[in-house]
């Protein structure tokens, strides 16, 4: 099914990528941040927490966490703490998933426009893409903090396509590892490729059935 996604046959004008768990081998960062965050408040990390927040904006995650655990803190305080705990890891320790760099380079060489739609904040996404030497490869970088709704909705993907020079949604393919995000991609009128993240508790079989394409690794496409 994914044969059309080989760079020589890529049938879309633009490829848009999620970062955490898709292009980046970074899911361990947020697990560690979550463990530290809850431990500092005398709480255990709930098993369903990562799945519940996967498609939310950064502010939505903060508001959800405050409401669910009755925390006497502001969203701004939580977001600042999460940024502080995660930034150094993204800048210094997070790399690309196997085959991701080569696949991006191949698409770029074919003239495919590249974009990012991510829940990471702007300064974190800039740091991790810069440290991996690929920030200039993308014509559009969009953080969920630029829109009012999370990635389960079409807003972020449509904004990225607009930044890429108003590429029509039907000419965009979006890669993501979160089940709710696939629904947002479809709602934007774009094709979606589910990317398997081994550390995720997402229902992979359901994601693979729903998506237009699905891959276990970018190495499959090289």
């Amino acid at each position: 099914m994914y044969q059309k996604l080989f760079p020589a046959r890529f049938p879309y004008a633009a490829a848009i990528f999620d970062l955490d768990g898709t292009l980046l081998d970074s899911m361990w960062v947020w697990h560690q941040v979550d463990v530290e965050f809850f431990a500092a408040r005398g709480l255990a990390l709930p098993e369903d927490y990562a799945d519940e927040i996967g498609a939310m904006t950064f502010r939505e995650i903060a508001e959800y966490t405050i409401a669910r655990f009755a925390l006497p803190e502001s969203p701004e305080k939580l977001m600042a703490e999460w940024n502080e705990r995660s930034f150094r890891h993204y800048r210094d320790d997070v790399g690309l998933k196997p085959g991701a760099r080569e696949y991006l380079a191949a698409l770029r060489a074919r003239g495919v426009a590249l974009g990012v739609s991510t829940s990471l904040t702007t300064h974190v996404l800039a740091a991790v893409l810069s440290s991996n030497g690929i920030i200039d490869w993308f014509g559009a970088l969009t953080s969920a903090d630029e829109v009012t709704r999370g990635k389960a909705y079409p807003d972020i993907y449509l904004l990225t396509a607009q930044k890429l020079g108003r590429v029509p949604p039907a000419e965009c393919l979006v890669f993501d590892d979160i089940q709710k995000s696939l629904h947002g991609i479809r709602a934007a009128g774009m094709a979606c490729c589910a990317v398997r993240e081994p550390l995720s508790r997402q229902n992979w079989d359901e994601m693979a059935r729903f998506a237009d394409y699905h891959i276990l690794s970018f190495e499959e496409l090289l």
Side-chain angles (χ1 to χ4, degrees), residues 66-203:
I66 290 169
R68 177 171 174 179
F69 301 98
L71 300 179
E73 300 167 276
S74 68
E76 288 74 19
K77 183 178 185 301
L78 266 62
M79 291 188 290
E81 180 177 340
W82 291 333
N83 275 328
E84 181 180 355
R85 289 183 183 277
S86 65
F87 180 79
R88 179 179 55 80
H89 287 305
Y90 276 100
R91 184 193 62 198
D92 301 338
D93 305 325
V94 170
L96 300 176
K97 282 196 165 184
R101 181 184 303 276
E102 294 81 0
Y103 188 63
L104 290 171
L107 291 181
R108 189 167 174 245
R110 296 286 299 182
V112 177
L114 302 180
V116 163
S117 292
T118 177
S119 294
L120 292 177
T121 55
T122 302
H123 78 291
V124 173
L125 77 87
V128 70
L129 294 179
S130 295
S131 67
N132 280 279
I134 60 171
I135 191 168
D136 293 333
W137 292 16
F138 297 95
L141 301 173
T142 308
S143 167
D145 60 13
E146 298 177 57
V147 295
T148 58
R149 300 188 295 179
K151 295 179 68 182
Y153 298 91
D155 311 40
I156 189 171
Y157 311 106
L158 295 173
L159 179 56
T160 302
Q162 184 178 16
K163 289 182 180 181
L164 285 172
R166 301 187 183 276
V167 178
E171 296 182 20
C172 297
L173 174 67
V174 187
F175 296 78
D176 207 297
D177 68 308
I178 298 294
Q179 189 168 4
K180 291 180 180 178
S181 297
L182 300 181
H183 291 270
I185 295 164
R186 281 278 182 84
M190 300 178 181
C192 55
C193 179
V195 180
R196 180 77 170 99
E197 165 50 55
L199 295 181
S200 174
R201 295 174 63 247
Q202 302 287 309
N203 187 329

Side-chain angles (χ1 to χ4, degrees), residues 28-45 81-82 84-89:
W28 62 270
V29 172
W30 286 108
H31 177 74
Q32 182 62 30
V33 167
D34 290 341
V35 168
E36 293 171 0
F37 173 83
F38 282 100
R41 289 156 178 81
L43 300 170
L45 174 63
E81 180 177 340
W82 291 333
E84 181 180 355
R85 289 183 183 277
S86 65
F87 180 79
R88 179 179 55 80
H89 287 305

